[in-house]
C-alpha cells in the first residue's frame, strides 16, 4: 500500500497554486541563497526561521519590482484617470502568500523551499500581520486595493503608517489584556521609504486676511514621509501602490524659537510631532473626539492632497514641468473616495489649496471639489458619527474652520431657497450643531461636498435615505447610491482554502477566480454525489487542520466531528455576542437536564477584540470565558458542547478559522450592521449562515435562496414597531422559562461562583436598557438553532445547501463592487489591458 501524501505533496497537486517549472525553481533557490547571504548577511549554519522568511520575502518581492516600475511608467505615459482611496485604516494582514498567489508563484516557491529543506507554511507563519485597521472598514479597504489592481485601475491607497497597529489581545484569567503591536520590530520587507517625496503639513497658527486673500501663518510644521507598498493584481502584471505616511519632525523643530540653550530638550521634543503616526485608535464604530486623532485625520489628508496635485500637474507625457496650469480637467483626471468621514477634511483642505494657494474663484473651486470627491457611509449608529468640537478645530485648523463656515452658509442658503421658512429643516441640515459645545457634523460636510454618497448594502443604503440623511436625500436624491460590499476571492478562497478552490476548478475551470459569478455553474452539480462528497471532505480536512492548530497554539482539544459554530468579529453590543452566549447556556441546561439524549455535538467559538475603553464589551469577553470554564470542565457534558474564546482574532487567524466553519453567526439587531463582510467569507468557504435580515445577509438570502440560510428574528419594521411601543425585556423574561433560567444563573453567580455579582451589570443592561433587544429575538434564535442541529445530522442535505451558498456567493466579490464604483461613481471602466511582464522588451 502506498504511504499517505505529505502536506507538501498534497499542495503540489493543487493547480490553482501555479506551476513549478524546474527553471523557475532553481532560479528561486539561487535568489533565496543570494538574499540570505547579501541582504540578511547570514550563513546557513546560523540562520533561523525568521531569516529564512525574510530571504523568501525578498526573493518574491524581486518578482514584483519590474511589474511595479512598469505599471507606474505605463500610468505616467498614458495618463488615465487616477483613483485615490483615502482611509485611516488598511487592515492588510500578511503579504507573502498573497503576493505568491497573485503572481502565480506559490507552487514554485513551495518546491524551492522544500528542496532547500524548509517548510514554506512554517516560514509564512513568521510574518507579522499588518494590523493597520480595526475590523470591517479597514479590511474592506484592503480587499478594494486587491480588486482595483486586478481590474487594472490606476488606483492608489493613501493612509497612515502606524508604528503600532491594532493591539494584540491576551486573555488573562478570562479578561482581555492589551499588548502593543510592535509589528515593525524586525523590519518590513514589503515597504519602500520614499524620502524624496516628503511633504510638509501645517498645524495651529492663525489666519490673516489680506488683499491677496487668506494666509495661514505662524503654523507648526510636521513632515510626512511616504512609505510605498506594492499592490499586485491577480496574474495581470499590474502593480499599484499603497502609500502610507509617517510623521517626522523637521530638523529646525523647536530650535528656532525661545530655545536658547534648550537644545537637548528641543531634540527630545521631536517625539511630540512624530507621535502623530505612532498608534492606531482601537475603536470600531465609536467616535472619540481626541486632538491626536484629529491631527491624524488632517495629516493623512493634507499630505495626500499635495501629492495628488503634484501628480496631476506633472504627470503628462514624460514632462517634469508643471504642464497643467488650470484645474478644469481635475475631476476628469482625479477621483477621491472617502472611506467613512475620517478623511472628511479633504473637502475643506482641497478648497483651501484651490482658493488660497492656486487662487481659484470660490465657485470654480467648489465645483471641482464636489465633482472630485465621493463619500462612503459605514454606519448609522449615532455614537459612531464624527462630530468634532468647534474649539478643537479653531485651535488646530483655524483656516479650515472658516472654510467650513463658508460652505455651511452657502449650503443653508440653498436649503432656504428650496424650503423657504422651514427653520427646523435648516437646523437639522446645518454642518454646525449648536449645543453645550458647538460641533461640526462631518457626515453632513461629506454629503454637501461630494457628488456621490453610498451605503454598503442595499438595506443600509435604504436606511440612510429614509432616516439619518433623509433631508439630504430629499434635496439631492441623485447623489445617493448603493454599493454592496465584497471580499477578494484571491485571499478569501484561493489563498486560505486551496482545497475548495481546487474542487471548484475541477468542475468549472479557473476563470471564476477573477469572475466569481461563474460559481453559479455549480448549481448544475447540486445533486452530484461526487461534488457533495468532495466538498464535505475538504471541510473535514480544514476542520482537522484547525483543530490541530488550536491544540498546538492554545492547548485546547476539540472534537473535529462536532459542528463548528463560529462567531468572529469585533465585540460590540449591537453584534449580540450575548445572544449567542444565551443559546450556549440554554444548550448546556438542556444537556444537563437530559444527559442520555443524542445531542448533536457542537464546538462554539467566539472571537474578537473589545475596544480598551468599552466596559460592556470587556465584560462580554469575561462572560464567554467564564461560561466556557464551567461547560468545558463538566463531565456530564463531555465533548457534546464546548465554548472556546478565540484569542487575538485578526486577519491571519480568520484565514484559518473561516475555511473550517460549519455555521456562521451573523446575528446583529436588524438595521444595525451596515453590511458585514465576514458573512461573505463564510458563505464562499462552505459554511451555512444563521442570521437576521440585516446588512448583506438580506442579499445573501436573495442570491442563495432564503431556504438555504437560517434566517430568524425581527426585521427592520418589527424593530421600529417595538421601539414605538416600548421594548419591555421583563415580559420576555417572565414568559420564557428557558430564558428566565439562564438569566437567573447569570444573576446568582452560577458561572462566577467566586464573585457571585460579577455579571450583574450585564443582567441589568439586558433587563433595563438593552438598545439591541437581545430578549426579543431569543425565542426565534433558539428555535432556529434547533433546526440547524436537525439539518446537521443529514450530511447530504446540509452539503447541498452549502453548494447553493457557494454558487450564490459570486455577487459578493469585491471585483463586482469595485467595477460598480468605477462605472457609477468614478466614471472609469475596468481595464483589460495586460501590461507586458517585466521580462518582455517594451515596444
Amino acid at each position: 500500500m502506498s504511504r499517505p501524501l505529505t502536506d507538501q505533496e498534497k499542495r503540489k497537486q493543487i493547480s490553482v497554486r501555479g506551476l513549478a517549472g524546474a527553471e523557475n525553481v532553481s532560479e528561486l533557490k539561487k535568489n533565496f541563497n543570494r538574499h540570505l547571504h547579501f541582504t540578511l548577511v547570514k550563513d546557513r549554519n546560523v540562520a533561523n526561521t525568521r531569516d529564512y522568511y525574510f530571504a523568501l520575502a525578498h526573493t518574491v518581492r524581486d518578482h514584483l519590482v519590474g511589474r511595479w516600475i512598469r505599471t507606474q511608467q505605463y500610468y505616467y505615459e498614458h495618463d488615465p484617470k487616477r483613483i485615490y482611496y483615502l482611509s485611516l485604516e488598511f487592515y492588510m494582514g500578511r503579504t507573502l502568500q498573497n503576493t505568491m498567489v497573485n503572481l502565480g508563484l506559490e507552487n514554485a516557491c513551495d518546491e524551492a523551499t522544500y528542496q532547500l529543506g524548509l517548510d514554506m507554511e512554517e516560514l509564512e507563519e513568521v510574518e507579522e500581520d499588518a494590523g493597520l485597521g480595526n475590523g470591517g472598514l479597514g479590511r474592506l479597504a484592503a480587499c478594494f486595493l486587491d480588486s482595483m489592481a486586478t481590474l487594472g485601475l490606476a488606483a492608489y491607497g493613501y493612509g497612515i503608517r502606524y508604528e503600532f497597529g491594532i493591539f494584540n489581545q491576551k486573555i488573562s484569567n478570562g479578561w482581555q489584556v492589551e499588548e502593543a503591536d510592535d509589528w515593525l520590530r524586525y523590519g518590513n520587507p514589503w515597504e519602500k521609504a520614499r524620502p524624496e517625496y516628503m511633504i510638509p503639513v501645517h498645524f495651529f497658527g492663525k489666519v490673516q486676511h489680506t488683499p491677496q486673500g487668506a494666509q495661514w501663518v505662524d503654523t507648526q510644521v510636521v513632515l510626512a514621509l511616504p512609505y510605498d507598498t506594492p499592490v499586485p493584481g491577480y496574474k495581470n502584471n499590474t502593480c499599484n501602490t499603497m502609500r502610507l505616511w509617517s510623521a517626522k519632525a523637521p530638523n529646525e523643530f523647536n530650535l528656532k524659537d525661545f530655545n536658547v540653550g534648550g537644545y537637548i530638550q528641543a531634540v527630545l521634543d521631536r517625539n511630540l510631532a512624530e507621535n502623530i503616526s505612532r498608534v492606531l485608535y482601537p475603536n470600531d464604530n465609536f467616535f472619540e473626539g481626541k486632538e491626536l486623532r484629529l491631527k491624524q485625520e488632517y495629516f493623512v489628508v493634507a499630505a495626500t492632497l499635495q501629492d495628488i496635485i503634484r501628480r496631476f500637474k506633472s504627470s503628462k507625457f514624460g514632462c517634469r514641468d508643471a504642464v497643467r496650469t488650470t484645474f478644469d480637467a481635475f475631476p476628469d483626471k482625479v477621483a477621491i473616495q472617502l472611506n467613512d468621514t475620517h478623511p472628511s477634511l479633504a473637502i475643506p483642505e482641497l478648497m483651501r489649496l484651490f482658493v488660497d494657494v492656486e487662487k481659484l474663484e470660490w465657485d470654480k473651486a467648489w465645483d471641482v471639489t464636489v465633482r472630485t470627491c465621493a463619500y462612503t457611509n459605514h454606519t448609522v449608529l449615532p455614537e459612531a458619527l464624527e462630530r468634532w468640537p468647534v474649539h478643537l478645530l479653531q485651535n488646530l485648523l483655524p483656516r479650515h474652520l472658516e472654510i467650513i463656515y463658508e460652505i455651511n452658509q452657502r449650503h443653508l442658503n440653498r436649503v432656504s431657497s428650496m424650503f423657504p421658512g422651514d427653520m427646523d429643516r435648516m437646523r437639522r441640515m446645518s454642518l454646525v450643531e449648536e449645543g453645550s459645545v458647538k460641533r461640526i457634523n462631518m457626515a453632513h460636510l461629506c454629503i454637501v461636498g461630494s457628488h456621490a454618497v453610498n451605503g454598503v448594502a442595499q438595506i443600509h443604503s435604504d436606511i440612510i435615505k429614509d432616516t439619518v440623511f433623509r433631508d439630504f436625500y430629499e434635496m439631492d436624491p441623485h447623489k445617493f447610491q448603493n454599493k454592496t460590499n465584497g471580499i477578494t476571492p484571491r485571499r478569501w478562497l484561493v489563498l486560505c482554502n486551496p482545497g475548495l478552490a481546487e474542487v471548484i476548478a475541477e468542475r468549472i475551470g479557473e476563470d471564476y477566480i477573477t469572475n466569481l459569478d461563474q460559481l453559479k455553474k455549480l448549481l448544475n452539480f447540486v445533486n452530484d454525489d461526487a461534488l457533495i462528497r468532495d466538498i464535505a471532505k475538504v471541510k473535514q480536512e480544514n476542520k482537522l487542520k484547525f483543530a490541530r492548530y488550536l491544540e498546538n497554539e492554545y492547548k485546547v482539544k476539540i472534537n473535529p466531528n462536532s459542528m463548528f459554530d463560529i462567531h468572529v468579529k469585533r465585540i460590540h453590543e449591537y453584534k449580540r455576542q450575548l445572544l449567542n452566549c444565551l443559546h450556549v447556556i440554554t444548550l448546556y441546561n438542556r444537556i444537563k437536564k437530559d444527559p442520555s439524549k443524542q445531542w448533536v455535538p457542537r464546538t462554539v467559538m467566539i472571537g474578537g477584540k473589545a475596544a480598551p475603553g468599552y466596559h460592556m464589551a470587556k465584560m462580554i469577553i469575561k462572560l464567554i470565558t467564564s461560561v466556557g470554564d464551567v461547560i468545558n470542565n463538566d463531565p456530564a457534558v463531555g465533548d457534546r458542547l464546548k465554548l472556546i474564546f478565540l484569542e487575538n482574532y485578526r486577519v491571519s487567524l480568520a484565514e484559518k478559522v473561516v475555511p473550517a466553519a460549519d455555521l456562521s453567526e451573523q446575528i446583529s439587531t436588524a438595521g444595525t450592521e451596515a453590511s458585514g463582510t465576514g458573512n461573505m467569507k463564510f458563505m464562499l468557504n462552505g459554511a451555512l449562515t444563521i442570521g437576521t435580515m440585516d446588512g448583506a445577509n438580506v442579499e445573501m438570502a436573495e442570491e442563495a435562496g432564503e431556504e438555504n440560510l437560517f434566517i430568524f428574528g425581527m426585521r427592520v419594521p418589527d424593530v421600529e414597531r417595538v421601539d414605538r411601543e416600548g421594548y419591555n425585556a421583563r415580559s420576555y423574561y417572565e414568559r420564557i422559562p428557558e430564558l428566565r433560567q439562564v438569566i437567573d444563573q447569570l444573576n446568582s453567580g452560577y458561572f462566577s461562583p467566586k464573585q457571585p455579582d460579577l455579571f450583574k451589570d450585564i443582567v441589568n443592561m439586558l433587563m433595563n436598557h438593552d438598545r439591541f433587544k437581545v430578549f426579543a429575538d431569543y425565542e426565534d434564535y433558539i428555535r432556529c438553532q434547533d433546526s440547524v442541529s436537525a439539518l446537521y445530522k443529514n450530511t447530504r442535505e446540509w452539503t447541498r445547501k452549502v453548494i447553493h451558498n457557494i454558487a450564490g456567493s459570486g455577487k459578493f466579490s469585491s471585483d463586482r463592487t469595485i467595477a460598480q464604483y468605477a462605472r457609477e461613481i468614478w466614471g472609469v471602466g475596468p481595464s483589460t489591458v495586460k501590461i507586458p511582464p517585466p521580462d518582455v522588451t517594451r515596444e
Side-chain angles (χ1 to χ4, degrees), residues 462-476:
D462 291 341
I463 285 170
I464 65 176
K465 291 190 293 191
D466 295 343
T467 59
V468 262
F469 303 144
R470 182 179 192 158
D471 294 322
F472 294 89
Y473 175 66
E474 287 173 0
M475 197 160 87
D476 290 310

Side-chain angles (χ1 to χ4, degrees), residues 557-628:
K557 270 190 92 85
I558 57 174
N559 171 13
N561 299 118
S562 63
M563 182 201 309
F564 283 14
D565 171 345
I566 313 229
H567 196 180
V568 286
K569 52 189 74 240
R570 285 295 291 259
I571 309 294
H572 201 298
E573 287 161 271
Y574 88 82
K575 293 175 187 283
R576 297 202 296 191
Q577 283 91 355
L578 280 172
L579 181 57
N580 193 346
C581 258
L582 299 189
H583 170 247
V584 172
I585 298 170
T586 303
L587 231 41
Y588 171 70
N589 289 335
R590 288 179 178 182
I591 293 171
K592 295 284 280 182
K593 191 177 172 187
D594 190 359
S596 58
K597 194 178 155 189
Q598 282 299 296
W599 299 98
V600 175
R602 278 199 196 219
T603 303
V604 180
M605 302 181 224
I606 306 179
K609 292 173 183 175
Y614 189 173
H615 170 255
M616 186 57 67
K618 290 187 144 180
M619 286 305 306
I620 291 168
I621 291 174
K622 178 60 175 172
L623 175 63
I624 295 162
T625 56
S626 302
V627 171

Side-chain angles (χ1 to χ4, degrees), residues 712-725:
F712 74 95
M714 296 181 291
R715 314 297 204 254
V716 167
D718 302 316
V719 175
E720 288 170 346
R721 194 192 68 249
V722 171
D723 277 329
R724 278 195 307 277
E725 295 170 2

Side-chain angles (χ1 to χ4, degrees), residues 206-225:
K206 59 187 185 199
V207 184
Q208 289 175 349
H209 289 276
T210 72
Q212 290 75 50
Q215 292 186 319
W216 184 17
V217 297
D218 297 340
T219 55
Q220 290 181 24
V221 176
V222 177
L223 299 176
L225 170 63

Side-chain angles (χ1 to χ4, degrees), residues 541-558:
E541 286 169 358
N542 291 338
K543 288 173 70 175
L544 280 162
K545 186 171 183 180
F546 189 64
R548 279 199 302 272
Y549 171 81
L550 283 186
E551 209 174 327
N552 290 337
E553 297 293 310
Y554 299 103
K555 313 292 173 232
V556 281
K557 270 190 92 85
I558 57 174

Side-chain angles (χ1 to χ4, degrees), residues 106-159:
E106 230 184 337
N107 268 333
C109 289
D110 205 333
E111 184 59 28
T113 49
Y114 178 72
Q115 289 181 19
L116 291 166
L118 301 166
D119 176 10
M120 192 165 76
E121 278 196 12
E122 198 181 317
L123 302 190
E124 288 165 350
E125 285 299 311
V126 170
E127 184 175 0
E128 299 273 358
D129 280 45
L132 308 184
N134 276 287
L137 174 148
R139 183 54 233 175
L140 186 77
C143 283
F144 279 6
L145 292 185
D146 183 87
S147 287
M148 289 187 292
T150 296
L151 292 177
L153 297 176
Y156 301 75
Y158 272 94

Side-chain angles (χ1 to χ4, degrees), residues 40-295:
L40 299 165
V41 198
K42 281 285 174 95
D43 190 81
R44 282 283 323 233
N45 338 317
V46 298
N48 58 27
T49 311
R50 175 166 284 104
D51 298 318
Y52 295 136
Y53 157 71
F54 276 103
L56 180 56
H58 280 105
T59 304
V60 170
R61 181 179 162 277
D62 288 347
H63 287 256
L64 276 176
V65 172
R67 291 172 171 90
W68 198 7
I69 291 171
R70 180 162 293 194
T71 300
Q72 300 312 310
Q73 182 71 19
Y74 180 91
Y75 294 157
Y76 187 64
E77 290 169 5
H78 292 77
D79 198 34
K81 182 168 184 177
R82 287 169 164 88
I83 314 303
Y84 295 102
Y85 197 83
L86 269 64
S87 181
L88 267 88
E89 303 186 19
F90 287 94
Y91 203 171
M92 302 294 284
R94 291 171 177 164
T95 298
L96 174 59
Q97 196 184 353
N98 186 247
T99 305
M100 293 188 295
V101 165
N102 280 11
L103 265 40
L105 284 174
E106 230 184 337
N107 268 333
C109 289
D110 205 333
E111 184 59 28
T113 49
Y114 178 72
Q115 289 181 19
L116 291 166
L118 301 166
D119 176 10
M120 192 165 76
E121 278 196 12
E122 198 181 317
L123 302 190
E124 288 165 350
E125 285 299 311
V126 170
E127 184 175 0
E128 299 273 358
D129 280 45
L132 308 184
N134 276 287
L137 174 148
R139 183 54 233 175
L140 186 77
C143 283
F144 279 6
L145 292 185
D146 183 87
S147 287
M148 289 187 292
T150 296
L151 292 177
L153 297 176
Y156 301 75
Y158 272 94
I160 296 176
R161 180 182 178 267
Y162 300 106
E163 196 177 320
F164 297 92
I166 188 65
F167 61 85
N168 284 313
Q169 178 192 57
K170 290 272 176 357
I171 300 297
S172 178
N173 38 333
W175 297 93
Q176 167 176 299
V177 177
E178 301 87 23
E179 196 173 82
D181 166 41
D182 192 6
W183 71 292
L184 294 167
R185 178 172 55 239
Y186 298 103
N188 174 5
W190 306 105
E191 69 182 7
K192 175 72 185 81
R194 295 273 182 215
E196 65 273 29
Y197 292 113
M198 192 134 55
I199 285 176
V201 175
H202 297 260
F203 294 100
F204 302 109
K206 59 187 185 199
V207 184
Q208 289 175 349
H209 289 276
T210 72
Q212 290 75 50
Q215 292 186 319
W216 184 17
V217 297
D218 297 340
T219 55
Q220 290 181 24
V221 176
V222 177
L223 299 176
L225 170 63
Y227 284 79
D228 288 356
T229 299
V231 179
Y234 183 74
K235 294 182 181 176
N236 65 348
N237 297 322
T238 295
C239 188
N240 286 342
T241 301
M242 175 178 65
R243 175 161 285 180
L244 302 181
W245 302 101
S246 185
K248 191 128 178 63
N251 288 333
E252 330 81 74
F253 186 78
N254 263 8
L255 286 168
K256 49 191 187 307
D257 11 72
F258 326 115
N259 257 313
V260 190
Y263 165 72
I264 294 289
Q265 195 53 49
V267 174
L268 299 185
D269 285 345
R270 292 168 60 86
N271 281 316
L272 274 48
E274 295 171 359
N275 276 336
I276 290 174
S277 56
R278 195 79 68 201
V279 59
L280 169 74
Y281 272 83
N283 301 316
D284 187 74
N285 274 299
F286 184 79
F287 171 60
E288 186 175 5
K290 294 284 196 286
E291 183 181 62
L292 181 61
R293 171 67 173 197
L294 185 57
K295 281 182 177 169

